[in-house]
PDB file of all heavy atoms in Angstrom:
ATOM      1  N   ASP A  41       9.332 -41.522 -16.080  1.00  0.00           N
ATOM      2  CA  ASP A  41       9.467 -42.001 -17.446  1.00  0.00           C
ATOM      3  C   ASP A  41       9.761 -40.822 -18.372  1.00  0.00           C
ATOM      4  O   ASP A  41       9.896 -39.687 -17.934  1.00  0.00           O
ATOM      5  CB  ASP A  41       8.210 -42.766 -17.889  1.00  0.00           C
ATOM      6  CG  ASP A  41       6.936 -41.936 -17.822  1.00  0.00           C
ATOM      7  OD1 ASP A  41       7.022 -40.681 -17.905  1.00  0.00           O
ATOM      8  OD2 ASP A  41       5.861 -42.518 -17.701  1.00  0.00           O
ATOM      9  N   ASP A  42       9.837 -41.099 -19.679  1.00  0.00           N
ATOM     10  CA  ASP A  42      10.210 -40.072 -20.618  1.00  0.00           C
ATOM     11  C   ASP A  42       9.174 -38.942 -20.666  1.00  0.00           C
ATOM     12  O   ASP A  42       9.532 -37.785 -20.897  1.00  0.00           O
ATOM     13  CB  ASP A  42      10.382 -40.679 -21.999  1.00  0.00           C
ATOM     14  CG  ASP A  42      11.636 -41.533 -22.122  1.00  0.00           C
ATOM     15  OD1 ASP A  42      12.522 -41.367 -21.257  1.00  0.00           O
ATOM     16  OD2 ASP A  42      11.734 -42.346 -23.045  1.00  0.00           O
ATOM     17  N   THR A  43       7.921 -39.273 -20.470  1.00  0.00           N
ATOM     18  CA  THR A  43       6.868 -38.229 -20.424  1.00  0.00           C
ATOM     19  C   THR A  43       7.092 -37.302 -19.252  1.00  0.00           C
ATOM     20  O   THR A  43       6.976 -36.071 -19.387  1.00  0.00           O
ATOM     21  CB  THR A  43       5.468 -38.894 -20.329  1.00  0.00           C
ATOM     22  OG1 THR A  43       5.248 -39.678 -21.502  1.00  0.00           O
ATOM     23  CG2 THR A  43       4.365 -37.805 -20.258  1.00  0.00           C
ATOM     24  N   ASP A  44       7.396 -37.882 -18.075  1.00  0.00           N
ATOM     25  CA  ASP A  44       7.698 -37.051 -16.906  1.00  0.00           C
ATOM     26  C   ASP A  44       8.889 -36.132 -17.169  1.00  0.00           C
ATOM     27  O   ASP A  44       8.853 -34.916 -16.826  1.00  0.00           O
ATOM     28  CB  ASP A  44       8.042 -37.931 -15.694  1.00  0.00           C
ATOM     29  CG  ASP A  44       6.889 -38.812 -15.253  1.00  0.00           C
ATOM     30  OD1 ASP A  44       5.736 -38.347 -15.311  1.00  0.00           O
ATOM     31  OD2 ASP A  44       7.161 -39.966 -14.863  1.00  0.00           O
ATOM     32  N   ARG A  45       9.923 -36.674 -17.818  1.00  0.00           N
ATOM     33  CA  ARG A  45      11.103 -35.843 -18.084  1.00  0.00           C
ATOM     34  C   ARG A  45      10.807 -34.736 -19.091  1.00  0.00           C
ATOM     35  O   ARG A  45      11.325 -33.646 -18.958  1.00  0.00           O
ATOM     36  CB  ARG A  45      12.238 -36.754 -18.566  1.00  0.00           C
ATOM     37  CG  ARG A  45      12.881 -37.545 -17.412  1.00  0.00           C
ATOM     38  CD  ARG A  45      14.058 -38.364 -17.885  1.00  0.00           C
ATOM     39  NE  ARG A  45      13.665 -39.669 -18.350  1.00  0.00           N
ATOM     40  CZ  ARG A  45      13.486 -40.749 -17.593  1.00  0.00           C
ATOM     41  NH1 ARG A  45      13.618 -40.651 -16.271  1.00  0.00           N
ATOM     42  NH2 ARG A  45      13.145 -41.908 -18.103  1.00  0.00           N
ATOM     43  N   GLU A  46       9.972 -35.007 -20.061  1.00  0.00           N
ATOM     44  CA  GLU A  46       9.606 -33.979 -21.023  1.00  0.00           C
ATOM     45  C   GLU A  46       8.792 -32.885 -20.337  1.00  0.00           C
ATOM     46  O   GLU A  46       8.986 -31.686 -20.621  1.00  0.00           O
ATOM     47  CB  GLU A  46       8.809 -34.572 -22.179  1.00  0.00           C
ATOM     48  CG  GLU A  46       8.267 -33.541 -23.165  1.00  0.00           C
ATOM     49  CD  GLU A  46       9.336 -32.614 -23.738  1.00  0.00           C
ATOM     50  OE1 GLU A  46      10.473 -33.056 -23.909  1.00  0.00           O
ATOM     51  OE2 GLU A  46       9.013 -31.455 -24.017  1.00  0.00           O
ATOM     52  N   GLU A  47       7.897 -33.242 -19.444  1.00  0.00           N
ATOM     53  CA  GLU A  47       7.111 -32.242 -18.703  1.00  0.00           C
ATOM     54  C   GLU A  47       8.009 -31.356 -17.845  1.00  0.00           C
ATOM     55  O   GLU A  47       7.824 -30.151 -17.756  1.00  0.00           O
ATOM     56  CB  GLU A  47       6.066 -32.916 -17.844  1.00  0.00           C
ATOM     57  CG  GLU A  47       4.931 -33.575 -18.640  1.00  0.00           C
ATOM     58  CD  GLU A  47       3.982 -34.353 -17.761  1.00  0.00           C
ATOM     59  OE1 GLU A  47       4.312 -34.587 -16.566  1.00  0.00           O
ATOM     60  OE2 GLU A  47       2.908 -34.728 -18.245  1.00  0.00           O
ATOM     61  N   LEU A  48       9.007 -31.979 -17.234  1.00  0.00           N
ATOM     62  CA  LEU A  48       9.969 -31.176 -16.434  1.00  0.00           C
ATOM     63  C   LEU A  48      10.801 -30.271 -17.323  1.00  0.00           C
ATOM     64  O   LEU A  48      10.964 -29.088 -17.027  1.00  0.00           O
ATOM     65  CB  LEU A  48      10.870 -32.124 -15.638  1.00  0.00           C
ATOM     66  CG  LEU A  48      10.270 -32.731 -14.371  1.00  0.00           C
ATOM     67  CD1 LEU A  48      11.064 -33.955 -13.935  1.00  0.00           C
ATOM     68  CD2 LEU A  48      10.168 -31.708 -13.248  1.00  0.00           C
ATOM     69  N   SER A  49      11.265 -30.789 -18.429  1.00  0.00           N
ATOM     70  CA  SER A  49      12.073 -29.968 -19.345  1.00  0.00           C
ATOM     71  C   SER A  49      11.284 -28.797 -19.864  1.00  0.00           C
ATOM     72  O   SER A  49      11.814 -27.679 -20.032  1.00  0.00           O
ATOM     73  CB  SER A  49      12.560 -30.808 -20.550  1.00  0.00           C
ATOM     74  OG  SER A  49      13.527 -31.748 -20.124  1.00  0.00           O
ATOM     75  N   ALA A  50       9.984 -29.003 -20.139  1.00  0.00           N
ATOM     76  CA  ALA A  50       9.142 -27.953 -20.687  1.00  0.00           C
ATOM     77  C   ALA A  50       8.989 -26.775 -19.726  1.00  0.00           C
ATOM     78  O   ALA A  50       8.658 -25.667 -20.120  1.00  0.00           O
ATOM     79  CB  ALA A  50       7.771 -28.521 -21.048  1.00  0.00           C
ATOM     80  N   LEU A  51       9.241 -27.021 -18.438  1.00  0.00           N
ATOM     81  CA  LEU A  51       9.167 -25.952 -17.453  1.00  0.00           C
ATOM     82  C   LEU A  51      10.204 -24.845 -17.760  1.00  0.00           C
ATOM     83  O   LEU A  51      10.033 -23.699 -17.291  1.00  0.00           O
ATOM     84  CB  LEU A  51       9.402 -26.487 -16.044  1.00  0.00           C
ATOM     85  CG  LEU A  51       8.240 -27.243 -15.386  1.00  0.00           C
ATOM     86  CD1 LEU A  51       8.732 -27.936 -14.127  1.00  0.00           C
ATOM     87  CD2 LEU A  51       7.104 -26.293 -15.029  1.00  0.00           C
ATOM     88  N   LEU A  52      11.230 -25.179 -18.487  1.00  0.00           N
ATOM     89  CA  LEU A  52      12.242 -24.165 -18.819  1.00  0.00           C
ATOM     90  C   LEU A  52      11.659 -23.003 -19.625  1.00  0.00           C
ATOM     91  O   LEU A  52      12.271 -21.936 -19.720  1.00  0.00           O
ATOM     92  CB  LEU A  52      13.413 -24.824 -19.588  1.00  0.00           C
ATOM     93  CG  LEU A  52      14.328 -25.721 -18.750  1.00  0.00           C
ATOM     94  CD1 LEU A  52      15.216 -26.570 -19.660  1.00  0.00           C
ATOM     95  CD2 LEU A  52      15.174 -24.892 -17.790  1.00  0.00           C
ATOM     96  N   GLN A  53      10.495 -23.229 -20.206  1.00  0.00           N
ATOM     97  CA  GLN A  53       9.819 -22.168 -20.972  1.00  0.00           C
ATOM     98  C   GLN A  53       9.144 -21.151 -20.067  1.00  0.00           C
ATOM     99  O   GLN A  53       8.783 -20.056 -20.510  1.00  0.00           O
ATOM    100  CB  GLN A  53       8.783 -22.773 -21.925  1.00  0.00           C
ATOM    101  CG  GLN A  53       9.322 -23.789 -22.891  1.00  0.00           C
ATOM    102  CD  GLN A  53      10.026 -23.175 -24.082  1.00  0.00           C
ATOM    103  OE1 GLN A  53      10.030 -21.958 -24.244  1.00  0.00           O
ATOM    104  NE2 GLN A  53      10.620 -24.009 -24.923  1.00  0.00           N
ATOM    105  N   GLU A  54       8.970 -21.497 -18.809  1.00  0.00           N
ATOM    106  CA  GLU A  54       8.256 -20.640 -17.860  1.00  0.00           C
ATOM    107  C   GLU A  54       9.110 -19.420 -17.496  1.00  0.00           C
ATOM    108  O   GLU A  54      10.319 -19.531 -17.292  1.00  0.00           O
ATOM    109  CB  GLU A  54       7.903 -21.415 -16.568  1.00  0.00           C
ATOM    110  CG  GLU A  54       6.969 -22.596 -16.788  1.00  0.00           C
ATOM    111  CD  GLU A  54       5.527 -22.137 -16.951  1.00  0.00           C
ATOM    112  OE1 GLU A  54       5.189 -21.024 -16.540  1.00  0.00           O
ATOM    113  OE2 GLU A  54       4.755 -22.934 -17.523  1.00  0.00           O
ATOM    114  N   ASP A  55       8.450 -18.251 -17.393  1.00  0.00           N
ATOM    115  CA  ASP A  55       9.175 -17.028 -17.068  1.00  0.00           C
ATOM    116  C   ASP A  55       9.854 -17.095 -15.703  1.00  0.00           C
ATOM    117  O   ASP A  55      10.937 -16.506 -15.520  1.00  0.00           O
ATOM    118  CB  ASP A  55       8.219 -15.816 -17.079  1.00  0.00           C
ATOM    119  CG  ASP A  55       7.767 -15.481 -18.498  1.00  0.00           C
ATOM    120  OD1 ASP A  55       8.426 -15.901 -19.454  1.00  0.00           O
ATOM    121  OD2 ASP A  55       6.726 -14.778 -18.637  1.00  0.00           O
ATOM    122  N   ARG A  56       9.235 -17.765 -14.746  1.00  0.00           N
ATOM    123  CA  ARG A  56       9.796 -17.804 -13.393  1.00  0.00           C
ATOM    124  C   ARG A  56      10.751 -18.954 -13.166  1.00  0.00           C
ATOM    125  O   ARG A  56      11.273 -19.142 -12.055  1.00  0.00           O
ATOM    126  CB  ARG A  56       8.662 -17.827 -12.353  1.00  0.00           C
ATOM    127  CG  ARG A  56       7.877 -16.512 -12.307  1.00  0.00           C
ATOM    128  CD  ARG A  56       6.636 -16.657 -11.420  1.00  0.00           C
ATOM    129  NE  ARG A  56       7.000 -17.048 -10.075  1.00  0.00           N
ATOM    130  CZ  ARG A  56       6.186 -17.749  -9.268  1.00  0.00           C
ATOM    131  NH1 ARG A  56       4.993 -18.161  -9.691  1.00  0.00           N
ATOM    132  NH2 ARG A  56       6.571 -18.063  -8.059  1.00  0.00           N
ATOM    133  N   ILE A  57      11.018 -19.722 -14.204  1.00  0.00           N
ATOM    134  CA  ILE A  57      12.019 -20.774 -14.154  1.00  0.00           C
ATOM    135  C   ILE A  57      13.293 -20.252 -14.808  1.00  0.00           C
ATOM    136  O   ILE A  57      13.286 -19.945 -15.993  1.00  0.00           O
ATOM    137  CB  ILE A  57      11.550 -22.049 -14.831  1.00  0.00           C
ATOM    138  CG1 ILE A  57      10.331 -22.632 -14.091  1.00  0.00           C
ATOM    139  CG2 ILE A  57      12.677 -23.083 -14.887  1.00  0.00           C
ATOM    140  CD1 ILE A  57      10.612 -23.143 -12.690  1.00  0.00           C
ATOM    141  N   VAL A  58      14.372 -20.141 -14.017  1.00  0.00           N
ATOM    142  CA  VAL A  58      15.595 -19.467 -14.544  1.00  0.00           C
ATOM    143  C   VAL A  58      16.626 -20.445 -15.082  1.00  0.00           C
ATOM    144  O   VAL A  58      17.617 -20.014 -15.676  1.00  0.00           O
ATOM    145  CB  VAL A  58      16.223 -18.604 -13.435  1.00  0.00           C
ATOM    146  CG1 VAL A  58      15.278 -17.476 -13.030  1.00  0.00           C
ATOM    147  CG2 VAL A  58      16.647 -19.446 -12.216  1.00  0.00           C
ATOM    148  N   GLY A  59      16.424 -21.739 -14.865  1.00  0.00           N
ATOM    149  CA  GLY A  59      17.392 -22.689 -15.355  1.00  0.00           C
ATOM    150  C   GLY A  59      17.172 -24.047 -14.726  1.00  0.00           C
ATOM    151  O   GLY A  59      16.081 -24.370 -14.255  1.00  0.00           O
ATOM    152  N   THR A  60      18.227 -24.873 -14.726  1.00  0.00           N
ATOM    153  CA  THR A  60      18.136 -26.178 -14.079  1.00  0.00           C
ATOM    154  C   THR A  60      18.690 -26.114 -12.661  1.00  0.00           C
ATOM    155  O   THR A  60      19.542 -25.283 -12.365  1.00  0.00           O
ATOM    156  CB  THR A  60      18.948 -27.246 -14.849  1.00  0.00           C
ATOM    157  OG1 THR A  60      20.325 -27.031 -14.639  1.00  0.00           O
ATOM    158  CG2 THR A  60      18.622 -27.203 -16.335  1.00  0.00           C
ATOM    159  N   GLY A  61      18.194 -27.009 -11.843  1.00  0.00           N
ATOM    160  CA  GLY A  61      18.706 -27.096 -10.480  1.00  0.00           C
ATOM    161  C   GLY A  61      20.067 -27.786 -10.456  1.00  0.00           C
ATOM    162  O   GLY A  61      20.618 -28.201 -11.510  1.00  0.00           O
ATOM    163  N   GLU A  62      20.589 -27.915  -9.266  1.00  0.00           N
ATOM    164  CA  GLU A  62      21.959 -28.402  -9.073  1.00  0.00           C
ATOM    165  C   GLU A  62      22.117 -29.850  -9.576  1.00  0.00           C
ATOM    166  O   GLU A  62      21.406 -30.738  -9.182  1.00  0.00           O
ATOM    167  CB  GLU A  62      22.373 -28.281  -7.605  1.00  0.00           C
ATOM    168  CG  GLU A  62      21.417 -28.983  -6.658  1.00  0.00           C
ATOM    169  CD  GLU A  62      21.698 -28.649  -5.194  1.00  0.00           C
ATOM    170  OE1 GLU A  62      22.209 -27.558  -4.926  1.00  0.00           O
ATOM    171  OE2 GLU A  62      21.395 -29.503  -4.341  1.00  0.00           O
ATOM    172  N   ILE A  63      23.073 -30.019 -10.478  1.00  0.00           N
ATOM    173  CA  ILE A  63      23.383 -31.351 -10.999  1.00  0.00           C
ATOM    174  C   ILE A  63      24.749 -31.788 -10.446  1.00  0.00           C
ATOM    175  O   ILE A  63      25.753 -31.142 -10.702  1.00  0.00           O
ATOM    176  CB  ILE A  63      23.462 -31.328 -12.543  1.00  0.00           C
ATOM    177  CG1 ILE A  63      22.151 -30.808 -13.140  1.00  0.00           C
ATOM    178  CG2 ILE A  63      23.757 -32.723 -13.087  1.00  0.00           C
ATOM    179  CD1 ILE A  63      22.178 -30.660 -14.655  1.00  0.00           C
ATOM    180  N   PRO A  64      24.779 -32.851  -9.640  1.00  0.00           N
ATOM    181  CA  PRO A  64      26.057 -33.290  -9.100  1.00  0.00           C
ATOM    182  C   PRO A  64      27.031 -33.671 -10.210  1.00  0.00           C
ATOM    183  O   PRO A  64      26.669 -34.323 -11.186  1.00  0.00           O
ATOM    184  CB  PRO A  64      25.663 -34.532  -8.270  1.00  0.00           C
ATOM    185  CG  PRO A  64      24.232 -34.338  -7.937  1.00  0.00           C
ATOM    186  CD  PRO A  64      23.650 -33.643  -9.131  1.00  0.00           C
TER     187      PRO A  64
END
């Protein structure tokens, strides 16, 4: 749901997260 998606998007703030994964 939208809450799940917001939690995933917020990971972009993490130092060890460099970007998004592969989008077909």
